[in-house]
Amino acid sequence: DRREGPARGPPAAGPPPALEALARELIEAEGVLRAPLDTDAQVAAAEEACARVSAFFAWLDASAADQRVLMGAVFQALLKSGAAEAGGLMQRSQDDMEAQLLVARVCGDGSEPQDRVDDAAAVRALVRIKVEDDNDIRLARAAVTGCADALARARSLGARISAGPADVLEHVRAERWGALEGAAGEDRDEPSARDVAEEAAGDTT
């Protein structure tokens, strides 16, 4: 006779559709960002860092195009320039000097070179993505945009249940959907920052 196995209960309920995409994006954001996201203050700091890095990527794109050089070349020059400054005059190589000349060129728009050096370092400090060439930069830029969007939506969702964004993240980690379900339904039709950006890009083609 065939033995019956132990009775199985109903499958564990996953997130409702309105939350599924946001939950996935928040989990991805935790994987991408080096910054901790355990408190509201940490989430706010991560949002500020994402905004800074996004602005830097926009500047990098425009400046590289203006100087007809690769974004990756400018990014590497900024990193080398920062390392050379830290090493002092006696340790600078020919590559370091060439990097500083390129930095001076791209900062001819009035940007403060040290600010841009610090911005490049901020990229490395923010994301767990190898950033070297143009493809890496495009990937990192898209990832930071996605992270910023997910954190902003978590903040908006939390506000509807009188909670902070860190509380929303904790609910997602623990797969406690009940407290979030009703509030998430309120913004399911709102476009994300990524949707708006893609729509704007399509209007220019």
Side-chain angles (χ1 to χ4, degrees), residues 1 11 23 33 67 69 89 94 99 114 134 144 160 169 185 194 201:
D1 294 338
L33 299 177
Q67 294 297 322
V69 294
L89 289 171
Q94 182 63 33
Q114 187 57 51
D134 282 37
V144 170
R160 293 177 182 143
L169 275 157
R194 184 181 298 173

Side-chain angles (χ1 to χ4, degrees), residues 96-169:
D96 294 333
M97 298 302 292
E98 290 176 358
Q100 289 184 316
L101 288 173
L102 179 53
V103 169
R105 281 173 54 196
V106 296
C107 289
D109 62 354
S111 297
E112 177 60 41
Q114 187 57 51
D115 289 344
R116 297 311 181 187
V117 168
D118 292 343
D119 287 341
V123 173
R124 287 278 181 89
L126 180 64
V127 297
R128 293 187 176 98
I129 298 172
K130 174 186 69 69
V131 181
E132 294 181 357
D133 60 22
D134 282 37
N135 288 333
D136 298 333
I137 290 168
R138 293 187 187 98
L139 176 62
R141 187 177 187 180
V144 170
T145 297
C147 290
D149 177 56
L151 294 178
R153 290 167 64 196
R155 181 175 296 282
S156 176
L157 183 59
R160 293 177 182 143
I161 59 172
S162 300
D167 293 321
V168 173
L169 275 157

Side-chain angles (χ1 to χ4, degrees), residues 55-65 70-72 74-75 78 137:
F56 168 69
F57 280 143
W59 171 86
L60 181 61
D61 190 358
S63 297
L70 295 174
M71 289 187 293
V74 177
F75 185 76
L78 289 166
I137 290 168

